[in-house]
Amino acid sequence: ISHARPMETLSAERPHANIFCAYVFLSLLGQFAIHITFLITMMRAAAEFMPEECIEPDSDFEPNLVNTVSYMANMMIQVATFAVNYMGHPFNQSIRENKAFFYALTSAGIFFTAITSDMFRALNDSLRLVPLPQPFGSKLLVSALVMMIACYTWEQMLRKLFPGKMPAWEKKLRRLSTTKAIDDKKDK
């Protein structure tokens, strides 16, 4: 994110003046609801595959399905948060133009797919991740994709409903240019 460069020209649109506005509040609530729903759904699904056992609070870490799914789900929630909340045009470069950020997101997606599908068992073993029973692995992949799409859709809808303010002088300038264009058409 720190590699993002601002655009060469200033945009007429401005970001929200403060964080205490409807856009930020609804964005936080909506994304939180989507993320927590994804996490709880995946944790409950993983718990169905777990045997009934009592885990002692002070015992050594033993990898199990719930720990594995918790790690994977939280990783994708973090990736979705970065990807969805990145402000590209008209203020900064788009995600594709910000190569470092784009490659980081792409790498995270590939890494998630690799560990979820258990492509490289040695990698999963080094991370102390247990194999996911099928079709649960596929369900986790699809659910993560749905969660990201839902967050993106929510954020885009809010950006359209609550656009940043435009300065008064810019509104006047646009009105004048529109009026001039209409007058020019009448003269022809």
Side-chain angles (χ1 to χ4, degrees):
I1 291 177
S2 64
H3 291 274
R5 284 187 224 102
M7 300 304 295
E8 294 293 324
T9 58
L10 289 177
S11 169
E13 184 181 340
R14 299 290 184 258
H16 296 277
N18 64 50
I19 61 169
F20 301 107
C21 63
Y23 164 75
V24 173
F25 182 70
L26 291 173
S27 177
L28 281 170
L29 281 181
Q31 288 184 48
F32 174 75
I34 294 166
H35 291 159
I36 200 74
T37 300
F38 168 67
L39 184 60
I40 290 171
T41 303
M42 291 299 99
M43 296 308 293
R44 285 185 180 163
E48 290 176 11
F49 291 98
M50 290 286 296
E52 290 294 323
E53 60 184 47
C54 181
I55 299 173
E56 294 296 321
D58 294 328
S59 64
D60 290 335
F61 175 77
E62 284 296 320
N64 62 37
L65 188 60
V66 171
N67 293 340
T68 297
V69 171
S70 175
Y71 169 76
M72 291 176 177
N74 280 299
M75 179 190 147
M76 281 316 292
I77 287 171
Q78 290 176 6
V79 170
T81 300
F82 276 105
V84 169
N85 293 309
Y86 179 80
M87 283 282 196
H89 292 290
F91 308 115
N92 290 316
Q93 298 172 313
S94 68
I95 288 179
R96 285 196 164 274
E97 293 168 337
N98 185 348
K99 296 290 186 200
F101 189 55
F102 176 73
Y103 292 143
L105 289 176
T106 303
S107 298
I110 292 168
F111 179 75
F112 178 74
T113 303
I115 62 173
T116 304
S117 61
D118 207 17
M119 282 182 190
F120 308 105
R121 185 69 240 157
L123 172 65
N124 285 17
D125 287 342
S126 69
L127 294 172
R128 301 188 71 183
L129 303 175
V130 299
L132 300 177
Q134 287 304 329
F136 183 69
S138 301
K139 179 181 179 180
L140 181 59
L141 275 170
V142 170
S143 297
L145 181 64
V146 168
M147 179 266 303
M148 286 189 77
I149 291 170
C151 286
Y152 178 80
T153 303
W154 178 253
E155 188 65 22
Q156 292 304 309
M157 181 187 72
L158 289 177
R159 288 179 187 177
K160 294 227 184 317
L161 289 174
F162 302 100
K165 300 289 184 215
M166 190 177 295
W169 63 268
E170 182 69 28
K171 288 180 186 176
K172 287 179 187 175
L173 186 62
R174 284 194 179 188
R175 232 179 293 128
L176 287 173
S177 65
T178 305
T179 306
K180 186 176 184 307
I182 292 171
D183 290 343
D184 289 345
K185 285 183 182 179
K186 286 180 185 178
D187 290 342
K188 290 181 182 181

